[in-house]
Amino acid sequence: MNAALLPLVVMVPLISAALLAAVPGPRWLRGVLLLAPNLGALAAGVLLIQATADGSVYAHGIALWQDGIAIPFVVDVFSALMVTTTALLTVTCSAFAIATGEDRARFFGSLVLVLSAGVYGALLTGDLFNLFVFIEVMLLPSYGLLAMAGALRSLRGGRIYVTVNLLTSTIFLAGVALVYGVAGTVHLGELIGAARESPLVAAAMAVVLLALSIKAAVVPVHGWLARTYPATSPAVTALFSGLHTKVAIYAIYRLYALLFEGDATYLWIGLVAFTVTMAIGVLGAVGENTTRSILVFHMISQIGYILLGVALFTPLGLMAGIFYLIHHMIVKASLFLSTGAIENAYGTSRLDRLGGIARREPILALVFMGAALSLAGLPPFSGFVAKLTLVSATFEAGQWIVAAVAVAVSLITLMSMLKIWGGPFWGTEPDSDGRSDREVRSGSAPGGVSAPARPTVQPKVRPAVLFPALVLTTATLCIGLGAEVLLDLSAQAASGLLDPAAYLEAVTNR
């Protein structure tokens, strides 16, 4: 593999974003410019997985400048898996936006492309400062996408999002400066094991990890996510759910493995924080009354599951965490897109204003139920493999309480998903008078008059709107049925985190 081609994964979306901003139409051309770069990244990601599946690591510094000047690009099987999943989610969410007409906004496509370029760069860089830069490249278009929804709720959500992320970015940059001040470098290859050997570097890296934990929405710094994600459009919520917090999670895995080399001294902090995140997140979903707000709190809960892998820092724990990360990116985006299709067609996501969707939209109901069962961890979907492997890892590490919490949270997750199923999907459809599901179920209209029988109605969700969620639910089913493939790749990625020798050799001998 020619490592010199790695920067193209970032450059092509950026160039396409500029072209898209300059091209006023026609719409089909704008759609091609939006989808093609990420389809190319998807193909590149698959090739990168093939090239790195044996444990190989490839590195390249832009223009062959020396370290400290060049932007170092590094790819191993972990980052290759993340690039592939990111590209898949960006394509499906963009297709959903095209189907719902959201892409008609003048700069929507350009902002999505710049966002994806920032994510690819963050996943592939081998330098702490450039990680900060690419995360900022990811965040800047996100502010615009949040504001595009236009409603007052979006503006309030956007204000919270911008405030929290500006503060977090400041903390992140301060942490990077501290690392440079005490270690004299921010190149990851030169920082391997530095935090384990030096308490000063460990303290500086703690500032960086704090910033990443806020971006990942770990409890108790999770409130911003619950307030902002439901405030934007369904396509943008699905895109953010699959990319933003996951970049922070990826960085936590990468940085703790390289700089701390799995130092067990600090792992108990992660075990406590991530176990609490699992529990608080799912309990927050219990009191919510819209599909999107329930899914957002589930997302916080699942972040705790994913990060348990790095807190255990055993071969099985890391493998389970990486598998869970890939599974969750796909499943959560599918759930947001399927409920987003309902919101787009019916104009609301409130549980008490929806009903009968399973009878009116049977394929959509199957798509949602498949992803919901996967999120809850039931077979044959990927969520079953992810949770079984993770709970096995906690048992293997002797963390019985963590395992018990993980199982209990999984049951509560299933119950709250049934809350969505029993209301919007299986509940009685509200009538044209706007009566709620509860009122209709009572069988009487206001004033004690019996409710008339409703005529049969046609589906409202168009196939083009449903298709992206269908693709992702099918993906989680395929991953569950053929779990051995992703488990093997996750095991190889975990091996690379446990032993960074190949990473060090690649970045020093490029």
Side-chain angles (χ1 to χ4, degrees):
M1 196 197 84
N2 189 348
L5 297 177
L6 282 177
L8 290 178
V9 179
V10 177
M11 291 172 60
V12 171
L14 285 178
I15 294 171
S16 301
L19 289 174
L20 199 53
V23 175
R27 194 177 170 214
W28 68 266
L29 179 58
R30 295 177 61 78
V32 170
L33 285 174
L34 173 57
L35 294 175
N38 284 300
L39 284 171
L42 180 60
V46 173
L47 293 175
L48 289 175
I49 290 175
Q50 290 179 337
T52 57
D54 60 353
S56 299
V57 181
Y58 298 91
H60 176 74
I62 287 186
L64 300 179
W65 288 97
Q66 63 182 8
D67 294 341
I69 299 176
I71 299 175
F73 280 79
V74 190
V75 63
D76 61 0
V77 67
F78 187 18
S79 49
L81 282 169
M82 290 295 292
V83 166
T84 306
T85 313
T86 295
L88 174 64
L89 295 188
T90 308
V91 168
T92 51
C93 293
S94 299
F96 182 90
I98 292 171
T100 57
E102 194 172 345
D103 68 314
R104 288 191 176 93
R106 181 70 175 87
F107 296 107
F108 178 86
S110 296
L111 293 174
V112 169
L113 287 170
V114 175
L115 165 62
S116 63
V119 175
Y120 296 138
L123 297 174
L124 293 175
T125 188
D127 180 285
L128 202 54
F129 179 72
N130 285 300
L131 173 64
F132 165 78
V133 171
F134 279 121
I135 288 179
E136 291 307 299
V137 171
M138 176 186 77
L139 289 175
L140 287 174
S142 303
Y143 302 148
L145 289 170
L146 265 170
M148 270 185 179
L152 180 61
R153 189 179 63 159
S154 299
L155 294 178
R156 289 172 179 165
R159 186 175 58 191
I160 296 171
Y161 186 86
V162 170
T163 303
V164 171
N165 277 287
L166 286 178
L167 174 63
T168 308
S169 296
T170 304
I171 297 172
F172 194 167
L173 186 58
V176 174
L178 288 172
V179 170
Y180 185 78
V182 296
T185 181
V186 289
H187 192 280
L188 295 184
E190 298 173 358
L191 284 171
I192 291 177
R196 187 182 186 117
E197 298 169 359
S198 167
L200 288 177
V201 178
M205 274 307 299
V207 177
V208 174
L209 292 177
L210 171 64
L212 291 171
S213 298
I214 298 174
K215 290 182 180 294
V218 174
V219 171
V221 284
H222 66 292
W224 67 270
L225 190 143
R227 298 284 298 277
T228 57
Y229 275 30
T232 185
S233 68
V236 173
T237 302
L239 191 63
F240 284 8
S241 75
L243 305 187
H244 276 187
T245 53
K246 306 309 181 296
V247 168
I249 291 171
Y250 167 84
I252 290 172
Y253 267 82
R254 178 70 73 190
L255 296 181
Y256 197 83
L258 288 179
L259 275 77
F260 288 87
E261 290 189 316
D263 190 347
T265 308
Y266 312 102
L267 293 180
W268 67 271
I269 300 173
L271 282 174
V272 173
F274 306 147
T275 304
V276 171
T277 299
M278 282 193 299
I280 297 295
V282 77
L283 291 177
V286 173
E288 295 299 315
N289 60 2
T290 70
T291 55
R292 259 206 281 176
S293 57
I294 291 173
L295 293 176
V296 165
F297 273 104
H298 281 166
M299 185 177 161
I300 296 168
S301 174
Q302 302 290 309
I303 285 167
Y305 278 97
I306 298 169
L307 286 171
L308 271 182
V310 73
L312 295 171
F313 215 86
T314 61
L316 184 60
L318 288 171
M319 181 187 77
I322 293 168
F323 186 98
Y324 208 118
L325 174 58
I326 304 298
H327 141 78
H328 185 260
M329 290 172 72
I330 294 171
V331 168
K332 183 54 71 175
S334 176
L335 286 168
F336 276 122
L337 291 181
S338 59
T339 55
I342 296 172
E343 199 171 333
N344 177 259
Y346 295 86
T348 182
S349 63
R350 286 187 51 170
L351 301 182
D352 60 349
R353 297 298 177 192
L354 293 166
I357 291 176
R359 292 181 288 276
R360 186 195 283 253
E361 319 273 0
I363 299 177
L364 174 62
L366 286 174
V367 169
F368 172 84
M369 181 53 79
L373 293 178
S374 186
L375 184 75
L378 296 183
F381 299 96
S382 58
F384 172 72
V385 182
K387 288 194 175 176
L388 180 64
T389 312
L390 192 62
V391 171
S392 300
T394 57
F395 277 121
E396 182 189 74
Q399 301 295 338
W400 307 98
I401 296 176
V402 176
V405 172
V407 173
V409 168
S410 183
L411 293 175
I412 300 174
T413 301
L414 178 60
M415 291 170 60
S416 51
M417 294 309 291
L418 290 175
K419 183 178 172 183
I420 298 178
W421 178 259
F425 281 95
W426 204 247
T428 306
E429 184 179 0
D431 62 10
S432 58
D433 295 330
R435 294 179 306 157
S436 68
D437 180 51
R438 184 187 298 273
E439 292 168 336
V440 175
R441 284 183 185 182
S442 67
S444 63
V449 180
S450 298
R454 297 188 184 83
T456 302
V457 291
Q458 296 298 317
K460 289 185 178 180
V461 177
R462 291 178 289 113
V465 178
L466 172 60
F467 185 70
L470 174 62
V471 169
L472 295 178
T473 296
T474 304
T476 187
L477 177 61
C478 292
I479 292 173
L481 293 175
E484 187 175 354
V485 176
L486 184 55
L487 281 173
D488 287 344
L489 292 172
S490 301
Q492 185 62 61
S495 176
L497 294 177
L498 288 164
D499 181 8
Y503 190 96
L504 177 61
E505 183 180 357
V507 297
T508 54
N509 296 326
R510 65 173 188 269

